Amino acid sequence: MTQKELTVLNLGDSLDNISNIDPRGYGVCHILYPAAREYTGGPLCMNAATKLCNTLKQDDLVYIMTGFVLPPSGSAETDGVISSVLLARALVIAFGAKPVIVCQEENVPAVKAMAAVVGLHLYDSIDELKKYPISMAVVPFTKDKSKAESCADEIISHGKPVAVISIEAPGENKIGKYHNATGLDVTDLEAKMDILFDKLRAMGVLNIAIGDLGNEIGMGTIAPHLHKHIPYANEGECRCGCGGGIAVRSITDNIITATVSDWGCYAMIAAIAYLKKDIDIMHTAELEGEAITAAARNGMIDMYGWCIPAIDGFGKSLNMSIVNLMRECVSYSLKLEETCKTWFEKVIDKGFFGE
């Protein structure tokens, strides 16, 4: 094992651990993570970041799917959408990529507001996006399942992406129903983005899915674990009577689970910053706070329905702290690389971390 390999392993573990702290104490993150880690075979964030770093280059299209609409208000929640915009920023800085956010119509005003916060020009079409630097696009996806195939094909016709990343985006179960966290049917509220995700995965596009419960796109990768351990996930356990449970059917090649999906995305961004040796790829705590505020001021709600600057019930202070801690971990890993070189060599020689 080399010093770089040891740092990648241990920094990846640190970032995964930060994204899976459990302030609520109900343990779902600690249920999901072991299955995702076993599937991946290493730190989740670093696996996804490495795949992106090995794949993306200047002007490559990246589709970012996100957005859950919550009953009874029918408003879009903050989780997923905030990190999607911050990820778009990171991909532009790191690779000069062309990020396209695919979401429900309800999310578009907040995406537009946050694009201005993170400093990106925003366009309403992929064709426009291709023409200009320092930019992103937002494209709404249909909620009508009968139109989902054609909607997916239309989007792809404007450019096949090099990567597709789903962050807290709803997925259907094996009988075609979409559920919220408490097992209620929200099929009519949700965009059918998993149709697009599945198409791109079948085309061989690099795919990454981030979730925090099991009702999100791609979480079917660990379906047996969900069925056994997550409330409402197994067949017949959801509260709507469909009999299918909340666990989704869609799978991904690269899975990230976290306490909050946004935190899983931040861990991936931080890992990219380390691999690219550029701390500015990871946004600051201050920018995190501004993005959360912009989302709340443009119609988004937190998990419990409040029109406040929060993500999954966690306020700005905690979210900013998560970002700051991840950023500091990356910063020290980069600046102490030479200072600690001898110590790394001695640790590796002792053999604890293998050959």
Side-chain angles (χ1 to χ4, degrees):
M1 177 175 283
T2 65
Q3 178 178 344
K4 176 67 177 292
E5 290 169 340
L6 183 56
T7 304
V8 165
L9 172 63
N10 288 327
L11 176 61
D13 280 339
S14 294
L15 296 172
D16 276 6
N17 289 337
I18 295 168
S19 72
N20 280 278
I21 66 167
D22 190 9
R24 302 186 195 98
Y26 68 19
V28 169
C29 54
H30 301 305
I31 294 171
L32 298 174
Y33 186 79
R37 178 64 179 250
E38 181 180 4
Y39 171 82
T40 302
L44 310 183
C45 65
M46 199 62 77
N47 168 69
T50 300
K51 298 284 181 63
L52 290 169
C53 288
N54 290 341
T55 303
L56 294 183
K57 59 184 185 302
Q58 183 75 31
D59 294 330
D60 279 345
L61 282 175
V62 180
Y63 289 178
I64 305 171
M65 300 179 186
T66 190
F68 234 109
V69 176
L70 303 181
S73 66
S75 299
E77 72 161 324
T78 51
D79 189 24
V81 182
I82 292 174
S83 66
S84 291
V85 176
L86 290 161
L87 175 61
R89 170 193 175 275
L91 296 178
V92 171
I93 295 172
F95 308 105
K98 300 288 189 180
V100 180
I101 293 185
V102 182
C103 60
Q104 294 97 337
E105 191 70 49
E106 290 91 337
N107 289 302
V108 173
V111 170
K112 289 182 176 180
M114 285 187 284
V117 168
V118 303
L120 296 181
H121 300 277
L122 183 74
Y123 299 98
D124 295 323
S125 75
I126 296 172
D127 294 334
E128 283 185 292
L129 169 67
K130 292 177 182 178
K131 299 177 184 178
Y132 304 106
I134 318 174
S135 59
M136 58 180 283
V138 60
V139 178
F141 201 86
T142 184
K143 296 183 179 184
D144 186 340
K145 192 169 185 178
S146 68
K147 298 178 180 178
E149 290 278 349
S150 60
C151 185
D153 290 339
E154 165 64 17
I155 292 173
I156 295 171
S157 73
H158 292 278
K160 177 184 171 183
V162 175
V164 57
I165 303 166
S166 174
I167 310 168
E168 188 68 13
E172 65 178 11
N173 67 8
K174 68 176 187 178
I175 58 174
K177 297 295 184 180
Y178 297 73
H179 293 84
N180 71 355
T182 64
L184 297 178
D185 186 346
V186 292
T187 302
D188 292 341
L189 294 175
E190 310 303 342
K192 310 305 185 282
M193 293 175 283
D194 42 353
I195 303 300
L196 176 57
F197 188 90
D198 291 345
K199 277 181 174 285
L200 293 172
R201 181 174 180 271
M203 291 176 172
V205 172
L206 171 63
N207 57 92
I208 299 164
I210 304 174
D212 59 25
L213 182 64
N215 57 340
E216 307 94 353
I217 289 174
M219 296 301 106
T221 302
I222 55 172
H225 196 74
L226 301 177
H227 294 157
K228 185 175 181 179
H229 297 293
I230 297 297
Y232 309 116
N234 206 6
E235 294 181 15
E237 289 186 350
C238 55
R239 297 165 60 203
C240 69
C242 78
I246 72 171
V248 300
R249 58 152 188 82
S250 58
I251 61 175
T252 182
D253 297 326
N254 301 281
I255 188 171
I256 295 177
T257 61
T259 302
V260 176
S261 292
D262 276 350
W263 298 357
C265 183
Y266 299 156
M268 182 177 71
I269 295 171
I272 294 171
Y274 170 75
L275 293 172
K276 297 291 285 186
K277 296 189 180 300
D278 183 356
I279 190 61
D280 290 332
I281 292 169
M282 180 68 183
H283 59 286
T284 63
E286 290 74 21
L287 188 55
E288 170 75 7
E290 290 182 29
I292 295 174
T293 298
R297 299 293 181 263
N298 285 273
M300 304 201 79
I301 60 175
D302 85 329
M303 182 174 68
Y304 302 114
W306 289 87
C307 304
I308 58 174
I311 304 174
D312 269 6
F314 300 123
K316 285 172 62 174
S317 177
L318 180 54
N319 283 284
M320 291 170 68
S321 296
I322 291 288
V323 168
N324 194 58
L325 185 54
M326 289 182 180
R327 187 180 166 92
E328 289 292 326
C329 285
V330 172
S331 177
Y332 280 105
S333 293
L334 290 173
K335 69 185 180 183
L336 295 178
E337 183 175 338
E338 286 300 318
T339 303
C340 295
K341 186 172 184 179
T342 299
W343 185 251
F344 270 98
E345 292 172 353
K346 291 184 179 298
V347 169
I348 292 167
D349 285 345
K350 285 291 185 179
F352 179 86
F353 291 102
E355 298 300 327

